[in-house]
């Protein structure tokens, strides 16, 4: 089962932000969308989720999403936007419970607490959302999203987590918590598509990487195939040596030379 976007083009104002993008992600894998600022990652994600007007076709588990009702979509995919502002004074558990009604799943009332536990916030259930730090709010939103599609596979049909920079405001420990959670979801058969900023985390946790550049896909493949010196220099416009960690040969980026240069000249 796949999430496929074909020939997606988006114009915002006078700007063509996406130009004929073909994208594919498979259930059971973590797919990361990476690329420089402004390359179109969020716009691609928002085209896939139907939040931005676009040309082209999006198919989820084989069905054209244009033919699905909002409640049918909500039952098979949950979306975490980059930021979510809540105008009303809800507590944490109330926010996470919103996922239950959105997903129209079996409405197992124990799921929101399990989701809070999964993001390390079970003790925050009664706290007011507005009083939390940015990183804590981000994890609450993830708990809400996971609640919506708690079981990765229902009746043999995979469900999808679609996440826009899910670890952007998180410390390294919680980055690992969230990425472990994404990996676990995929390992149990669900689909995960995430816009990622951090290329080292991408290398560690993604199965498949889609690298964007100025509204198009520059290249796709495994982290080792995509995250190379040449590709990163061309796409990001800076030289960052890529090494690999034995024995798994996972790429990692360590801008050592720049650190040394800065320190010497200081
Ligand atoms: P990324 O997520 O890769 O940083 P985005 O998808 O957010 O990139 O944006 C892609 C491009 O579209 C950027 O150049 C951005 O300035 C532009 N853009 C985003 N929103 C709008 C808008 N509402 N009107 C015009 N241009 C926009």
């Amino acid at each position: 089962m796949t999430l496929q976007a074909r020939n997606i083009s988006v114009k915002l104002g006078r700007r063509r932000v996406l130009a004929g993008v073909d994208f594919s992600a498979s259930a059971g894998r973590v797919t990361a969308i990476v690329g420089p600022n402004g390359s179109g990652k969020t716009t691609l994600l928002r085209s896939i989720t139907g939040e931005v007007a676009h040309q082209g076709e999006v198919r989820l588990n084989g069905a054209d999403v244009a033919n699905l009702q909002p409640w049918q979509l909500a039952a098979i995919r949950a979306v975490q936007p980059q930021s979510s502002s809540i105008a009303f004074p809800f507590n944490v558990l109330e926010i996470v419970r919103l996922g239950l009604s959105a997903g129209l799943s079996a409405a197992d009332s124990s799921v929101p607490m399990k989701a809070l536990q999964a993001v390390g916030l079970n003790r925050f259930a009664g706290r007011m959302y507005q009083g939390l730090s940015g990183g804590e709010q981000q994890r609450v939103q993830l708990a809400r999203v996971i609640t919506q599609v708690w079981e990765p596979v229902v009746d043999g049909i995979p469900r999808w987590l679609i996440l826009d920079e899910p670890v952007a405001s998180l410390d390294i420990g919680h980055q690992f918590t969230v990425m472990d959670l994404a990996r676990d979801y995929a390992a149990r058969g669900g689909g995960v598509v995430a816009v990622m900023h951090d290329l080292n985390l991408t290398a560690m946790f993604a199965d498949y990487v889609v690298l964007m550049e100025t509204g198009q896909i520059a290249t796709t493949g495994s982290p080792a195939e995509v995250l190379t010196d040449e590709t990163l220099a061309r796409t990001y416009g800076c030289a960052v040596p890529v090494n690999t960690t034995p024995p798994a040969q996972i790429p990692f980026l360590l801008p050592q030379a720049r650190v040394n240069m800065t320190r010497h000249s200081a």
Side-chain angles (χ1 to χ4, degrees), residues 20-217:
V21 169
D22 291 327
F23 169 88
S24 179
S26 299
R29 297 208 280 180
V30 174
T31 299
I33 304 173
V34 300
N37 295 150
S39 56
K41 304 180 294 295
T42 292
T43 306
L44 175 59
L45 210 72
R46 298 184 76 215
S47 302
I48 288 169
T49 60
E51 292 165 87
V52 73
H54 58 272
Q55 293 179 313
E57 183 188 58
V58 179
R59 299 187 83 86
L60 189 53
N61 296 340
D64 186 339
V65 298
N67 298 330
L68 297 178
Q69 298 297 319
W71 64 267
Q72 292 175 307
L73 269 174
I76 52 172
R77 61 111 174 100
V79 183
Q80 184 181 16
Q82 229 171 69
S83 64
S84 319
S85 58
I86 303 283
F88 300 101
F90 285 124
N91 73 25
V92 164
L93 188 57
E94 286 166 337
I95 301 273
V96 178
R97 278 197 185 129
L98 295 174
L100 274 185
S101 42
L104 298 171
S105 53
D108 175 349
S109 57
S110 68
V111 166
M113 276 311 295
K114 289 183 196 161
L116 277 174
Q117 176 112 37
V119 299
L121 285 177
N122 41 316
R123 293 198 180 162
F124 285 59
R127 292 264 302 268
M128 296 311 291
Y129 179 81
Q130 258 107 357
L132 303 183
S133 73
E136 288 161 350
Q137 289 186 349
Q138 198 176 10
R139 281 150 60 213
V140 172
Q141 291 299 339
L142 182 62
R144 175 184 60 77
V145 165
I146 299 167
T147 294
Q148 186 181 329
V149 288
W150 180 250
E151 291 297 337
V153 179
V154 175
D155 297 333
I157 308 288
R159 296 159 111 203
W160 293 80
L161 286 173
I162 300 178
L163 314 170
D164 196 351
E165 298 206 17
V167 297
S169 318
L170 305 186
D171 62 66
I172 190 161
H174 288 115
Q175 288 182 347
F176 276 62
T177 303
V178 167
M179 294 313 296
D180 279 338
L181 206 149
R183 278 229 59 84
D184 178 65
Y185 198 81
R188 292 188 293 130
V192 180
V193 177
V195 169
M196 294 289 293
H197 198 61
D198 186 311
L199 297 177
N200 281 319
L201 279 180
T202 300
M204 267 185 275
F205 288 97
D207 300 296
Y208 187 68
V209 182
V210 173
L211 174 63
M212 295 200 66
E213 185 181 12
T214 53
Q216 293 183 309
I217 289 181

